[in-house]
């Protein structure tokens, strides 16, 4: 690993720790030449299945795209970037668990729908309104009522 300050190749690890869910190792390193310190992050490269869209086209999993969508759904809500990151980590874990080479995008959408109320209720409703592509507002309201009913019931 090249030192970002002087490009020297030798360094020593002065601190190493795992993140909360133990998927990323953060290493503090000191350059053997200029002694500057820098940080590296190691994460396991994940093998993701291809997503199959409704029209049959395939597309690779795109973490960034999901984050942008969630940020939109969570606009002006009390949801931190870290919460969104954790949420997407969870979806990625499920994708990995699939094991197969392909998964329908609708399945991923269902996972998001299931997990989103735990992140933020308003975000869920916003996402649902887009995801389900409600034909009319009544359909949307039914969904909303059902959702709020379930929440009140527990
Ligand atoms: Zn250096």
């Amino acid at each position: 690993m090249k030192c970002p300050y002087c490009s020297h190749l030798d360094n020593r690890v002065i601190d190493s720790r795992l993140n909360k869910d133990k998927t990323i190792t953060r290493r503090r390193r000191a350059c053997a030449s200029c002694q500057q310190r820098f940080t590296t992050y190691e994460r396991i490269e994940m093998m993701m299945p291809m997503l199959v869209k409704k029209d049959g086209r395939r597309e690779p999993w795109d973490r960034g795209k999901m984050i942008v969508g969630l940020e939109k759904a969570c606009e002006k809500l009390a949801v931190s970037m870290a919460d969104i990151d954790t949420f997407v980590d969870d979806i990625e874990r499920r994708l990995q668990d699939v094991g197969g080479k392909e998964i329908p995008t609708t399945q991923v959408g269902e996972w998001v729908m299931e997990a989103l109320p735990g992140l933020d209720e308003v975000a869920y409703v916003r996402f649902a309104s887009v995801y389900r592509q409600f034909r009319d507002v009544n359909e949307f309201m039914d969904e909303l009522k059902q959702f709020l009913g379930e929440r009140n019931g527990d």
Side-chain angles (χ1 to χ4, degrees), residues 3-8 10 31-36 38:
C3 166
Y5 302 97
C6 73
S7 297
H8 189 73
D10 273 348
C31 174
S33 172
C34 72
Q35 309 303 323
Q36 287 273 16
F38 55 97

Side-chain angles (χ1 to χ4, degrees), residues 146-154:
Q146 195 189 332
F147 171 65
L148 294 174
E150 277 170 23
R151 300 291 301 182
N152 291 337
D154 60 37

Side-chain angles (χ1 to χ4, degrees), residues 74-114:
C74 295
E75 218 169 355
K76 295 191 177 117
L77 303 176
V79 179
S80 70
M81 198 51 228
D83 289 340
I84 292 178
D85 243 12
T86 308
F87 184 91
V88 178
D89 282 348
D90 197 59
I91 298 293
E92 285 189 337
R93 211 164 294 132
R94 292 197 196 203
L95 279 168
Q96 281 222 286
D97 288 345
V98 170
K101 290 196 170 93
E102 293 181 347
I103 185 171
T105 52
T106 48
Q107 177 60 68
V108 181
E110 287 304 318
W111 288 341
V112 173
M113 294 284 282
E114 268 170 44

Side-chain angles (χ1 to χ4, degrees), residues 127-139:
F127 179 84
S129 69
V130 178
Y131 175 67
R132 290 259 159 100
Q133 295 175 326
F134 296 107
R135 256 171 259 120
D136 58 48
V137 73
N138 288 335
E139 208 178 334

Side-chain angles (χ1 to χ4, degrees), residues 12-18 25-30 37-40:
R12 66 196 163 85
V13 175
I14 50 178
D15 185 36
S16 178
R17 58 184 63 176
L18 286 166
T25 308
R26 176 186 180 278
R27 294 207 162 93
R28 215 44 203 145
R29 295 170 186 271
R37 290 172 177 200
F38 55 97
T39 307
T40 58

